[in-house]
Amino acid sequence: DTGVSQNPRHKITKRGQNVTFRCDPISEHNRLYWYRQTLGQGPEFLTYFQNEAQLEKSRLLSDRFSAERPKGSFSTLEIQRTEQGDSAMYLCASSITMGFDPNEKLFFGSGTQLSVL
Amino acid sequence: GNSVTQMEGPVTLSEEAFLTINCTYTATGYPSLFWYVQYPGEGLQLLLKATKADDKGSNKGFEATYRKETTSFHLEKGSVQVSDSAVYFCALRVGGAGSYQLTFGKGTKLSVIP
């Protein structure tokens, strides 16, 4: 168990560029979440996958954002035409669960810090 | 909607002092309540949880009791250590309609000085 791995740790980009982040969940974890955290705020939910199916998306996830989990293992989050307001820490979390489980335990990665200049 | 309000930090305490971090919530249904901790340079970790009213979650000397009547889940520890310095997040989840997202408070930064 190596934990949830996120790459890169830091990303600096210019406004208008596209960026892609990767998350490798804990092996055999079937649920994967993406959250965004801005300075001084708590994490905000973006989307989640059950295996390869994307089952919920937040209103925060504009059309410029897309997430995939093609084989139910790793996931990617792409932001197109980045804006300065996209600057944030992007967090990934995984769990092994089905349905709603009040005891679901999420394991978070260390995040990818995005800075849009 | 769902929301979590935490006391604002930063909080600075001397080692062995008593800690309370207040957390109140509003929820559209019956929530499960959580405290997460983020140590410097690390990812969020679940500290403790409670899934129904009057449950007490506890871990590493920290405790929090689910109080439905006051919609609160305050975090307490009797004697803090320097190693407890971190950011603490209160969170809730309300299941139903396939929504499993966590709603977090803004976080409270705790610094413990020797």
Side-chain angles (χ1 to χ4, degrees):
Chain A
D1 181 354
T2 57
V4 177
S5 177
Q6 291 190 246
N7 288 288
R9 291 294 302 270
H10 304 274
K11 179 69 177 178
I12 299 174
T13 191
K14 292 182 179 180
R15 189 176 55 184
Q17 297 294 304
N18 299 344
V19 294
T20 300
F21 313 138
R22 176 178 171 125
C23 171
D24 287 273
I26 293 172
S27 179
E28 298 188 4
H29 276 199
N30 54 0
R31 188 171 289 173
L32 186 147
Y33 296 83
W34 284 100
Y35 283 81
R36 180 174 70 184
Q37 185 178 13
T38 53
L39 198 60
Q41 302 295 316
E44 296 173 299
F45 171 79
L46 292 179
T47 188
Y48 90 93
F49 293 83
Q50 185 74 41
N51 299 308
E52 67 277 8
Q54 188 174 17
L55 296 185
E56 186 180 6
K57 292 194 288 187
S58 163
R59 287 169 295 177
L60 293 175
L61 214 64
S62 76
D63 291 345
R64 296 184 298 105
F65 288 69
S66 63
E68 295 182 343
R69 195 182 182 200
K71 297 184 179 178
S73 56
F74 73 91
S75 176
T76 58
L77 178 67
E78 181 184 18
I79 309 175
Q80 296 183 326
R81 305 181 303 282
T82 52
E83 303 173 355
Q84 288 184 326
D86 297 331
S87 295
M89 176 76 81
Y90 290 83
L91 301 172
C92 177
S94 71
S95 69
I96 183 163
T97 190
M98 291 295 292
F100 178 72
D101 178 359
N103 293 306
E104 178 184 5
K105 184 173 181 180
L106 269 64
F107 294 81
F108 281 84
S110 299
T112 293
Q113 180 66 54
L114 173 66
S115 298
V116 181
L117 305 178
Chain B
N2 302 322
S3 66
V4 174
T5 303
Q6 286 181 240
M7 64 183 284
E8 292 193 14
V11 175
T12 302
L13 295 174
S14 297
E15 206 164 20
E16 299 183 2
F18 184 85
L19 168 70
T20 299
I21 301 178
N22 290 338
C23 171
T24 58
Y25 67 89
T26 58
T28 54
Y30 199 119
S32 296
L33 302 174
F34 307 84
W35 277 100
Y36 279 82
V37 59
Q38 188 171 33
Y39 298 103
E42 298 184 14
L44 285 159
Q45 301 174 27
L46 178 64
L47 179 60
L48 54 84
K49 63 175 169 60
T51 58
K52 60 183 189 296
D54 300 324
D55 271 0
K56 177 184 285 188
S58 62
N59 186 25
K60 300 181 180 180
F62 290 89
E63 293 182 340
T65 301
Y66 189 142
R67 299 289 189 201
K68 192 167 186 288
E69 64 276 12
T70 55
T71 62
S72 64
F73 193 54
H74 305 319
L75 183 68
E76 297 182 335
K77 186 174 185 182
S79 176
V80 294
Q81 305 300 312
V82 172
S83 57
D84 294 326
S85 298
V87 182
Y88 293 82
F89 292 92
C90 186
L92 68 81
R93 181 193 291 127
V94 179
S99 177
Y100 305 140
Q101 60 179 279
L102 282 163
T103 300
F104 287 88
K106 292 185 177 182
T108 303
K109 184 176 181 179
L110 170 66
S111 297
V112 181
I113 55 177

